[in-house]
Amino acid sequence: MTSLPMRVRDEEGNFHLEDTNQNERSLWLLNPPNPPPLGKKLISSLKNNKFFLSSKNKTCHQHVASFLRSLFPILSLFGNYDAFKFKDDLLAGLTLASLSIPQSIGYAILAKLDPQYGLYTSVVPPLIYAVMGSSREIAIGPVAVVSLLLSSLVQKVVDPNVNHDGYRNVVFTVTLFAGIFQVAFGVFRLGFLVDFLSHAALVGFMAGAAIMIGLQQLKGLLGISHFTNKTDVVSVLESVYKSLHQQITSGEWYPLNFVIGSSFLIFLLSARFIGKRNKKLFWLPAIAPLASVILSTFIVYISKADKNGVNIVKHVKPGLNPNSVHQLQLSGEHVGQAAKIGLISAVIALTEAMAVGRSFASIKGYHLDGNKEMLAMGCMNIAGSFSSCYVATGSFSRTAVNFSAGCKTSVSNIVMAITVILCLELFTRLLYYTPMAILASIILSALPGLIDIREACYIWKVDKFDFLACIGAFFGVLFQSVEVGLLVAVSISFAKIVIQSIRPGIEILGRIPRTEAFCNVSQYPMATSTPGILVIRISSGSLCFANANAVRERILKWVTQEDDELKERSTNFQEETTRGSVQAVILDMTNMMNVDTSGILALEELHKRLISRGVQFAMVNPRWLVIHKLKLAHFVDKMGKEWIFLTVAEAVDACMSYKLPI
Amino acid sequence: MTSLPMRVRDEEGNFHLEDTNQNERSLWLLNPPNPPPLGKKLISSLKNNKFFLSSKNKTCHQHVASFLRSLFPILSLFGNYDAFKFKDDLLAGLTLASLSIPQSIGYAILAKLDPQYGLYTSVVPPLIYAVMGSSREIAIGPVAVVSLLLSSLVQKVVDPNVNHDGYRNVVFTVTLFAGIFQVAFGVFRLGFLVDFLSHAALVGFMAGAAIMIGLQQLKGLLGISHFTNKTDVVSVLESVYKSLHQQITSGEWYPLNFVIGSSFLIFLLSARFIGKRNKKLFWLPAIAPLASVILSTFIVYISKADKNGVNIVKHVKPGLNPNSVHQLQLSGEHVGQAAKIGLISAVIALTEAMAVGRSFASIKGYHLDGNKEMLAMGCMNIAGSFSSCYVATGSFSRTAVNFSAGCKTSVSNIVMAITVILCLELFTRLLYYTPMAILASIILSALPGLIDIREACYIWKVDKFDFLACIGAFFGVLFQSVEVGLLVAVSISFAKIVIQSIRPGIEILGRIPRTEAFCNVSQYPMATSTPGILVIRISSGSLCFANANAVRERILKWVTQEDDELKERSTNFQEETTRGSVQAVILDMTNMMNVDTSGILALEELHKRLISRGVQFAMVNPRWLVIHKLKLAHFVDKMGKEWIFLTVAEAVDACMSYKLPI
């Protein structure tokens, strides 16, 4: 205890002045304005909700104009748009269409729908999004993961092989619900729900889904006639093996499917590889799918290979999107399940679209309002459900192509949609001889972009728990089903939050040399602790029922341990110890966001037990809610107002000067 | 921007010196020792687990002695125990027994077991606890809430009215599982699991359970022959009304039951009231139940009231606890359910015992090791399940009597157990004529202690969310069932933790006058902010997937809003604004416990967007794990080491001096 008196004597000169200041600060600390009550908070968050109307002083006319501009961002194009921009958008749109048409047909087959529904989905949603959405690069249409999700979930409700029309009607109903949920997310500012699928979980989920989508393509690639409805890897491989074995033994297997599919797959992957290496050749992977379709269709038509067992698309219904309002099933047995699937699809679709939209907006340096995007996505899916489309969203691969092709505004989506319309009106008959294996290889060639091993390694390196969510989602999707994978990922993510929030750790703080800052002594080994004074910080965000008792016991154990060790040392070695026993415990509450009644009870108990041991207890910098609750619970009166400080340094000084007389 | 240059000039004198120090501190911040890896943490927590063996340098003999003393705290009595202490314990034990005997019989009936099983449960568990437990006051035996819990859960497995022996065997099996779980909690230091039932939830649960127990007593008090097996308030009241109506109309209702029961209830409540008012008369409520039993039994015996429809206990099997090892059902259909019920009972029993034990230990000023207590409770219940006892724990009401009667050590439990043994051996026949209504009124008279309206009001005042858990547990127990009540309470409590942890709030900080401390400007209206510099703190404990995007958007919105306002003001009023637009954002990370990969992504995005707007971004005092992860993710390199500071004040100074040249 040699350093104690000296230190205080040093500061004694200006101690009284300091003291006055400190008293004033204590008053500030103890008498803050009341925190806004719960009701008021809710009201203010609801007020924020009217995001269309800015509350600035504008005339009615200005209000309407700003409302319309906010709802239809395309309006703000007028005046800025010129021929040069249109030329860029036209080129980008055409490139996009050449990729969209084959992909849409492939994804429709993946969703177990007829090919034309994929094309329909590339017409109406992109047009709606182009006028309502604020992203300039995003390419709208059917995507692989949502198609897989829909087919794997809806086929549990209605079997597409048994009741094809019923299945399709449920898909439209799901699309309607997905749109409604997306609009609701946007209007009620529930965009944060999309964030519940963490980045890590998304990486795992996408990789798992990609593998599953790839496995589904084995049907087309190998020309298998019987395929399982299950989506887990074991069932699919088993079914592929059995069917293949049976078809080969019965002589019904035609290797030509595989030959065509795999040779074009090699071509597509090479194009992709070249396009990646040489950014100027970005158009090569973009038009390669359409080129493959045309080429292979031509080959099959010429060689009459369909007579030799090559599976072909056959009839694609010509004409524009038919009306599907009367096919929506808003009553009946499947409504509840359709709504559930709609919710899952809405979240997955939004997650993909937001990820895509945000990353490209960030490259171009503009801001994407999540809630408005959701509104636009919702409207386009509702409109889609009325016009024979299934759930559309922003596609990773096509958006990248759109961006590389130099699109300037969402007009490129309009160009793409018009091209698809032309295709639907004029060229569907040409698709008759397109081999299924080509569609499978087009989908397969797009999958590597969904598997991001580098990112998984990065996640492993940075956060092991995040990696657990990632790998959980991956294996959940792979070995169980899409929903299980999502559930596992979300559960692990939330379990992590709970565990971190209630971890009853405590940290010992010490003074960083030449500052007034007190930090964790393990993190800063150079930090010095004051003899006899234990400065403690709780390493969790709230002192609540789940950790309060453990924290209290740890602090008490620390105090008693230090005392016992000292006793033992002094009896064993019969010497004066240089460090005093613990005379004061200072609890730094800076990082404690909240406290509940169990936490306050634990603090009361801690205070009582420490005082009964002759140890002073001080609190530092309790936050707004915490000091408010402590005052309500009369704990401030119990422990004495003079033992609550604004900074740790003040508390240490006060504890030292208090202990001096003894 | 008038104050900027002046301020810097003020400090310019010692700026270079400051700078050197600051560089050194930045190095400390950026190069901390590596945090212990996850594996090491687990190992060290497992090492802590060997709580019997203290690692001090002792001989083998000392080790064994300390191990034994730790396992059997009664051993440390030898040498300290004398005749005076024994006199106190004897008196307390006898008082306790006079309360225990009638209560035990009543609780056994509540648990739908024969009366003697309650008495058995007051023999073996108290004896085991007396040698193994470390609480000196706690009174062990059957308690109301656990009895209710057992009967309501086990009767769903086996109906006691159909298969009386089977029901009893399941109860013993549940007791064994409860004991095993309690031992496991103790050995693996899982004591924190008991804390998952928060204080608020416990208050609500206890009140709900008390009302349900009270309703169950209507059977005995009113002399109803048919009673429902359901436990929710609606079913019970309906059943009471129907049975009563039917019995009255058929002339089978005997009001004498009610007359006896209610008159003795008034007597018991008066005794309780007097005992509470006058602490010296504590023995009055303690012996009143036994006195009532003796008196009422005598009256019934004399008046032959049982012939007039008064329900009596009838045969109570004499003799000590029979062996019940062979009645345990460790295989068969009910094992899984027995284990589940055992887990729930173990948690509820421990929660009650720990609450009782801790509060009395705190009054007497000694420490109760939760894990050792769990071990003792577990052993006593395992032993109990072998000797025809059901789940025993520490009782609120009897512990208070034991304490008031002046018990000194757990020897009072031994005295009580011996008294119950004598009763079982000699006096069971005397219980033949005891009216059931008396047992009901004894239980009813103990219930008010379980309903704590004052505490509920306090919870409402301090923490509305806690109150929600409290009221949720209360109504869940009352209108559904015990498990639903527990589930509701635990779910609400955890939902609260999650919501608080991921709330994407941000706080603007300002400098507290005459200090270096930066605090929330809403909490401290006198705090001053520096023009052009936005100091922000995130008001949640971790920046994770669920809040990272929202936090990023809020910060960006704040920055753009302030800019837009300034622009508007300067165009509207054509004047120089005194406050500069935001030139730097300082993020105080003191309270951020953790960050995940989504959080790091959001920080990167925020940094990029701020820099692209020409706004400098600085971080202050990231914690150990956070700086470690940021370094692993190369974010520190991206944002520049020179923009990470130890204190907000340093960051503000650096931002000001950086902006000066412009």
Side-chain angles (χ1 to χ4, degrees):
Chain A
M1 254 206 260
T2 50
S3 70
L4 266 182
M6 216 174 71
R7 221 174 168 286
V8 171
R9 237 180 284 137
D10 269 1
E11 284 171 0
E12 215 149 50
N14 57 352
F15 192 75
H16 288 289
L17 175 67
E18 270 289 310
D19 208 26
T20 332
N21 280 341
Q22 195 233 302
N23 279 344
E24 194 188 341
R25 283 198 290 275
S26 277
L27 281 180
W28 294 342
L29 174 64
L30 290 167
N31 302 309
N34 277 342
L38 208 63
K40 211 172 167 185
K41 265 192 219 168
L42 282 177
I43 289 168
S44 82
S45 85
L46 276 179
K47 268 188 191 162
N48 271 331
N49 212 351
K50 304 182 295 179
F51 64 103
F52 294 130
L53 303 169
S54 50
S55 58
K56 301 286 156 55
N57 36 358
K58 287 178 184 168
T59 63
C60 182
H61 178 78
Q62 278 173 319
H63 260 310
V64 171
S66 110
F67 174 78
L68 283 177
R69 251 206 309 279
S70 148
L71 199 56
F72 302 110
I74 202 170
L75 293 177
S76 50
L77 275 186
F78 291 121
N80 295 323
Y81 205 66
D82 53 30
F84 293 103
K85 279 188 183 168
F86 180 68
K87 203 201 86 190
D88 287 339
D89 282 337
L90 184 67
L91 264 177
L94 290 174
T95 319
L96 196 55
S98 77
L99 182 59
S100 274
I101 293 169
Q103 275 197 350
S104 300
I105 296 173
Y107 293 151
I109 292 168
L110 178 63
K112 297 192 198 288
L113 292 167
D114 291 333
Q116 65 268 24
Y117 292 104
L119 294 174
Y120 297 158
T121 309
S122 285
V123 172
V124 175
L127 288 176
I128 307 275
Y129 184 84
V131 295
M132 289 190 74
S134 40
S135 166
R136 298 170 208 157
E137 291 79 23
I138 208 165
I140 298 291
V143 301
V145 173
V146 174
S147 304
L148 172 80
L149 188 78
L150 278 179
S151 73
S152 73
L153 292 178
V154 176
Q155 74 187 2
K156 285 181 195 158
V157 181
V158 179
D159 190 336
N161 300 321
V162 175
N163 182 358
H164 196 71
D165 286 357
Y167 174 84
R168 195 193 52 208
N169 294 348
V170 174
V171 169
F172 292 155
T173 316
V174 166
T175 306
L176 176 66
F177 277 116
I180 292 172
F181 278 119
Q182 290 173 334
V183 168
F185 288 174
V187 171
F188 298 111
R189 314 207 125 223
L190 299 174
F192 65 90
L193 285 179
V194 170
D195 292 331
F196 279 7
L197 205 58
S198 70
H199 170 69
L202 199 65
V203 168
F205 175 75
M206 283 294 177
I211 292 179
M212 277 177 56
I213 294 165
L215 289 174
Q216 295 287 325
Q217 302 315 313
L218 291 179
K219 186 188 178 192
L221 199 65
L222 296 172
I224 295 171
S225 48
H226 294 286
F227 207 72
T228 178
N229 271 348
K230 288 185 185 161
T231 52
D232 64 299
V233 63
V234 177
S235 309
V236 171
L237 285 180
E238 206 178 50
S239 146
V240 166
Y241 175 77
K242 272 188 193 163
S243 299
L244 208 59
H245 187 74
Q246 196 201 338
Q247 279 178 273
I248 290 172
T249 49
S250 64
E252 281 172 13
W253 188 63
Y254 305 101
L256 217 52
N257 283 307
F258 182 65
V259 172
I260 298 181
S262 51
S263 53
F264 277 99
L265 179 59
I266 292 167
F267 165 63
L268 290 165
L269 288 176
S270 315
R272 194 187 156 84
F273 183 75
I274 294 169
K276 263 204 172 170
R277 276 296 164 94
N278 190 340
K279 291 284 170 202
K280 279 188 182 165
L281 295 175
F282 72 88
W283 51 267
L284 192 62
I287 66 153
L290 193 62
S292 312
V293 167
I294 294 170
L295 193 63
S296 63
T297 308
F298 189 68
I299 292 172
V300 172
Y301 178 70
I302 293 291
S303 65
K304 304 253 182 262
D306 57 311
K307 300 275 187 280
N308 295 321
V310 170
N311 296 328
I312 53 173
V313 172
K314 293 188 181 155
H315 189 62
V316 177
K317 204 179 153 214
L320 272 182
N321 298 27
N323 182 345
S324 62
V325 173
H326 298 296
Q327 290 164 26
L328 297 173
Q329 301 190 313
L330 294 178
S331 59
E333 44 179 344
H334 303 319
V335 180
Q337 278 172 301
K340 201 190 96 192
I341 300 171
L343 180 62
I344 299 175
S345 319
V347 171
I348 297 290
L350 284 179
T351 311
E352 181 162 355
M354 298 306 288
V356 177
R358 273 189 185 143
S359 51
F360 284 96
S362 144
I363 292 173
K364 287 226 182 153
Y366 66 92
H367 171 60
L368 216 54
D369 182 335
N371 294 306
K372 272 189 212 165
E373 282 296 281
M374 289 183 193
L375 190 71
M377 299 263 166
C379 289
M380 84 187 186
N381 276 324
I382 292 175
S385 73
F386 296 155
S387 53
S388 303
C389 306
Y390 71 98
V391 183
T393 186
S395 143
F396 270 116
S397 54
R398 294 201 296 280
T399 305
V401 166
N402 195 21
F403 175 78
S404 312
C407 74
K408 288 286 171 294
T409 65
S410 55
V411 171
S412 66
N413 267 312
I414 299 180
V415 173
M416 190 266 286
I418 292 171
T419 318
V420 177
I421 289 175
L422 290 177
C423 166
L424 272 169
E425 287 286 6
L426 306 174
F427 307 121
T428 48
R429 250 178 246 177
L430 302 184
L431 293 169
Y432 187 90
Y433 286 103
T434 305
M436 299 292 263
I438 285 296
L439 297 175
S441 58
I442 288 171
I443 294 183
L444 278 171
S445 72
L447 295 183
L450 295 180
I451 303 177
D452 197 341
I453 294 174
R454 255 183 61 197
E455 190 65 25
C457 293
Y458 165 83
I459 292 168
W460 164 255
K461 204 179 65 179
V462 174
D463 196 324
K464 304 285 180 285
F465 225 126
D466 261 16
F467 185 74
L468 193 65
C470 173
I471 211 78
F474 180 73
F475 284 119
V477 170
L478 221 52
F479 290 105
Q480 278 292 325
S481 64
V482 175
E483 322 92 275
V484 171
L486 286 176
L487 198 68
V488 167
V490 172
S491 312
I492 292 178
S493 305
F494 275 97
K496 184 192 170 192
I497 290 184
V498 169
I499 290 172
Q500 277 176 359
S501 314
I502 64 176
R503 212 166 56 93
I506 59 172
E507 295 168 2
I508 305 299
L509 306 189
R511 190 192 292 260
I512 301 288
R514 292 186 298 281
T515 68
E516 294 283 274
F518 280 73
C519 292
N520 187 348
V521 290
S522 317
Q523 185 181 1
Y524 298 93
M526 68 293 301
T528 54
S529 49
T530 316
I533 294 176
L534 198 60
V535 185
I536 285 175
R537 186 167 60 186
I538 298 167
S539 48
S540 65
S542 84
L543 191 69
C544 61
F545 68 96
N547 62 4
N549 282 332
V551 164
R552 186 194 63 204
E553 292 310 320
R554 282 208 186 188
I555 295 177
L556 285 170
K557 203 173 157 191
W558 207 285
V559 173
T560 46
Q561 245 179 9
E562 211 143 279
D563 271 14
D564 289 351
E565 265 172 34
L566 278 169
K567 256 184 225 159
E568 206 163 274
R569 225 187 296 162
S570 54
T571 47
N572 284 358
F573 303 98
Q574 300 292 336
E575 62 171 10
E576 281 276 319
T577 53
T578 46
R579 295 178 60 198
S581 67
V582 177
Q583 296 170 351
V585 170
I586 296 172
L587 188 64
D588 181 4
M589 302 174 95
T590 313
N591 62 333
M592 203 193 291
M593 237 60 60
N594 213 328
V595 67
D596 68 356
T597 47
S598 305
I600 295 174
L601 269 185
L603 282 178
E604 283 177 359
E605 178 78 20
L606 177 67
H607 176 245
K608 208 200 269 174
R609 295 260 290 276
L610 285 178
I611 293 292
S612 76
R613 288 185 75 94
V615 177
Q616 192 52 53
F617 179 57
M619 288 195 307
V620 170
N621 196 15
R623 291 164 78 112
W624 210 4
L625 254 177
V626 175
I627 187 75
H628 183 71
K629 285 188 184 173
L630 291 180
K631 277 170 71 183
L632 282 178
H634 302 295
F635 180 58
V636 171
D637 305 331
K638 271 180 210 159
M639 76 173 287
K641 288 181 181 179
E642 64 278 19
W643 292 107
I644 301 180
F645 302 90
L646 189 68
T647 65
V648 177
E650 281 175 4
V652 169
D653 288 345
C655 286
M656 288 204 304
S657 62
Y658 174 75
K659 280 293 162 187
L660 207 58
I662 297 169
Chain B
M1 260 210 253
T2 50
S3 70
L4 267 180
M6 216 174 71
R7 222 173 168 286
V8 172
R9 236 181 286 138
D10 269 2
E11 283 170 3
E12 215 150 49
N14 56 352
F15 193 75
H16 289 288
L17 176 66
E18 272 288 311
D19 208 27
T20 332
N21 281 341
Q22 195 233 301
N23 279 343
E24 194 187 342
R25 283 197 292 273
S26 277
L27 281 180
W28 293 343
L29 174 62
L30 289 167
N31 303 309
N34 277 341
L38 207 64
K40 210 172 168 184
K41 264 192 218 166
L42 282 176
I43 290 168
S44 83
S45 84
L46 277 179
K47 266 190 191 161
N48 270 331
N49 211 352
K50 306 181 297 178
F51 64 103
F52 295 130
L53 302 168
S54 50
S55 58
K56 302 287 155 56
N57 37 357
K58 287 177 182 169
T59 64
C60 181
H61 178 79
Q62 279 173 316
H63 261 310
V64 172
S66 111
F67 174 79
L68 283 176
R69 253 206 308 280
S70 149
L71 198 57
F72 304 110
I74 204 172
L75 292 179
S76 50
L77 276 186
F78 291 121
N80 296 322
Y81 205 67
D82 53 28
F84 293 103
K85 280 189 182 168
F86 180 67
K87 203 201 85 192
D88 287 338
D89 282 337
L90 184 68
L91 264 177
L94 290 174
T95 319
L96 196 55
S98 77
L99 182 58
S100 274
I101 293 170
Q103 274 197 351
S104 300
I105 296 174
Y107 292 151
I109 292 167
L110 178 61
K112 299 194 196 285
L113 292 168
D114 292 333
Q116 65 268 24
Y117 290 104
L119 294 174
Y120 295 158
T121 308
S122 285
V123 172
V124 174
L127 288 176
I128 307 276
Y129 185 83
V131 295
M132 289 189 73
S134 40
S135 166
R136 298 171 205 157
E137 291 80 22
I138 209 164
I140 298 291
V143 302
V145 174
V146 174
S147 304
L148 172 80
L149 187 78
L150 279 179
S151 73
S152 73
L153 293 178
V154 176
Q155 74 188 1
K156 286 180 195 161
V157 182
V158 179
D159 189 337
N161 301 321
V162 175
N163 182 357
H164 196 72
D165 286 358
Y167 174 83
R168 194 193 53 207
N169 295 348
V170 174
V171 169
F172 292 156
T173 315
V174 167
T175 306
L176 176 66
F177 278 115
I180 292 172
F181 279 118
Q182 290 173 335
V183 168
F185 289 174
V187 171
F188 296 111
R189 314 206 126 224
L190 299 174
F192 65 91
L193 286 179
V194 170
D195 292 331
F196 280 8
L197 206 57
S198 70
H199 169 69
L202 199 65
V203 169
F205 175 75
M206 283 294 178
I211 292 179
M212 275 177 57
I213 293 165
L215 289 173
Q216 296 287 325
Q217 302 315 314
L218 290 179
K219 187 187 178 191
L221 197 66
L222 296 171
I224 295 171
S225 47
H226 293 287
F227 207 70
T228 177
N229 271 348
K230 290 185 184 160
T231 51
D232 64 298
V233 64
V234 177
S235 308
V236 170
L237 285 181
E238 203 179 52
S239 146
V240 165
Y241 174 79
K242 271 188 192 163
S243 299
L244 209 59
H245 187 76
Q246 195 202 341
Q247 278 177 279
I248 289 172
T249 49
S250 66
E252 280 174 13
W253 189 62
Y254 306 101
L256 216 52
N257 282 307
F258 182 66
V259 171
I260 298 180
S262 52
S263 53
F264 275 100
L265 180 59
I266 291 167
F267 165 63
L268 289 165
L269 288 176
S270 317
R272 194 186 155 86
F273 184 75
I274 293 169
K276 263 204 172 172
R277 277 296 165 93
N278 191 341
K279 291 284 170 202
K280 279 188 184 169
L281 295 176
F282 72 90
W283 49 268
L284 193 61
I287 66 154
L290 193 63
S292 312
V293 167
I294 294 171
L295 193 63
S296 63
T297 308
F298 188 68
I299 291 172
V300 171
Y301 178 70
I302 292 293
S303 65
K304 304 250 183 261
D306 56 312
K307 300 274 186 278
N308 296 320
V310 169
N311 295 328
I312 55 175
V313 171
K314 293 190 180 155
H315 189 62
V316 177
K317 204 179 154 219
L320 270 183
N321 297 28
N323 182 344
S324 62
V325 173
H326 299 295
Q327 291 164 25
L328 296 174
Q329 301 190 312
L330 295 180
S331 59
E333 45 177 344
H334 303 319
V335 180
Q337 279 173 300
K340 200 190 95 192
I341 301 172
L343 180 61
I344 299 176
S345 320
V347 170
I348 297 289
L350 284 180
T351 311
E352 179 161 358
M354 298 307 288
V356 177
R358 274 191 183 140
S359 53
F360 283 97
S362 143
I363 293 173
K364 286 224 182 154
Y366 66 92
H367 171 62
L368 215 54
D369 182 333
N371 294 305
K372 274 190 211 165
E373 282 296 281
M374 289 182 194
L375 190 71
M377 298 265 166
C379 289
M380 85 187 187
N381 277 323
I382 292 176
S385 72
F386 296 154
S387 54
S388 302
C389 305
Y390 71 97
V391 183
T393 187
S395 144
F396 269 117
S397 54
R398 295 202 298 279
T399 304
V401 165
N402 196 20
F403 175 78
S404 312
C407 74
K408 288 285 173 294
T409 67
S410 55
V411 170
S412 66
N413 267 311
I414 300 179
V415 172
M416 189 267 285
I418 293 172
T419 317
V420 177
I421 290 175
L422 289 177
C423 166
L424 272 169
E425 287 285 7
L426 306 174
F427 306 122
T428 47
R429 250 177 246 176
L430 302 184
L431 292 170
Y432 189 90
Y433 285 103
T434 306
M436 299 292 262
I438 284 297
L439 298 175
S441 59
I442 288 170
I443 293 184
L444 278 171
S445 73
L447 295 183
L450 295 181
I451 303 178
D452 197 341
I453 294 175
R454 253 183 61 197
E455 191 64 24
C457 292
Y458 165 82
I459 293 169
W460 164 254
K461 204 178 65 177
V462 174
D463 196 324
K464 303 286 181 285
F465 225 125
D466 261 16
F467 186 73
L468 192 65
C470 173
I471 212 80
F474 180 72
F475 284 118
V477 169
L478 221 53
F479 290 104
Q480 277 293 324
S481 64
V482 175
E483 322 92 274
V484 170
L486 286 176
L487 199 67
V488 166
V490 172
S491 309
I492 293 177
S493 306
F494 275 96
K496 184 192 169 193
I497 290 183
V498 169
I499 291 173
Q500 277 175 359
S501 312
I502 65 176
R503 212 166 57 93
I506 58 172
E507 296 169 2
I508 305 299
L509 307 189
R511 190 192 291 262
I512 301 288
R514 293 188 297 282
T515 67
E516 293 284 274
F518 280 74
C519 293
N520 187 349
V521 289
S522 318
Q523 185 181 1
Y524 299 94
M526 68 295 298
T528 55
S529 50
T530 315
I533 294 176
L534 198 61
V535 185
I536 284 175
R537 186 166 59 186
I538 298 167
S539 47
S540 65
S542 85
L543 190 68
C544 63
F545 68 96
N547 63 4
N549 282 331
V551 164
R552 187 194 62 205
E553 292 309 320
R554 282 209 188 187
I555 294 177
L556 285 171
K557 203 172 159 192
W558 207 285
V559 173
T560 45
Q561 242 178 13
E562 209 143 282
D563 271 12
D564 290 350
E565 266 171 36
L566 278 169
K567 259 186 224 155
E568 205 163 275
R569 223 186 297 164
S570 53
T571 48
N572 284 358
F573 303 101
Q574 300 290 336
E575 62 171 10
E576 282 276 318
T577 51
T578 46
R579 296 177 61 199
S581 67
V582 177
Q583 296 169 348
V585 169
I586 297 171
L587 188 64
D588 182 3
M589 301 173 96
T590 313
N591 62 332
M592 202 192 291
M593 236 60 60
N594 213 329
V595 68
D596 69 357
T597 47
S598 306
I600 296 174
L601 270 185
L603 282 178
E604 283 177 357
E605 177 79 21
L606 177 67
H607 177 246
K608 208 199 271 175
R609 295 261 290 277
L610 285 178
I611 293 292
S612 76
R613 289 185 75 93
V615 177
Q616 192 52 54
F617 178 57
M619 289 197 305
V620 170
N621 197 13
R623 291 163 79 113
W624 210 4
L625 255 178
V626 175
I627 188 75
H628 183 70
K629 285 188 183 172
L630 291 180
K631 277 170 70 182
L632 281 179
H634 302 293
F635 180 58
V636 171
D637 305 330
K638 271 180 210 158
M639 76 174 286
K641 289 182 180 178
E642 63 277 20
W643 292 108
I644 302 180
F645 302 90
L646 190 68
T647 65
V648 178
E650 281 175 4
V652 169
D653 288 346
C655 286
M656 287 203 307
S657 63
Y658 175 75
K659 280 292 161 191
L660 207 56
I662 297 170

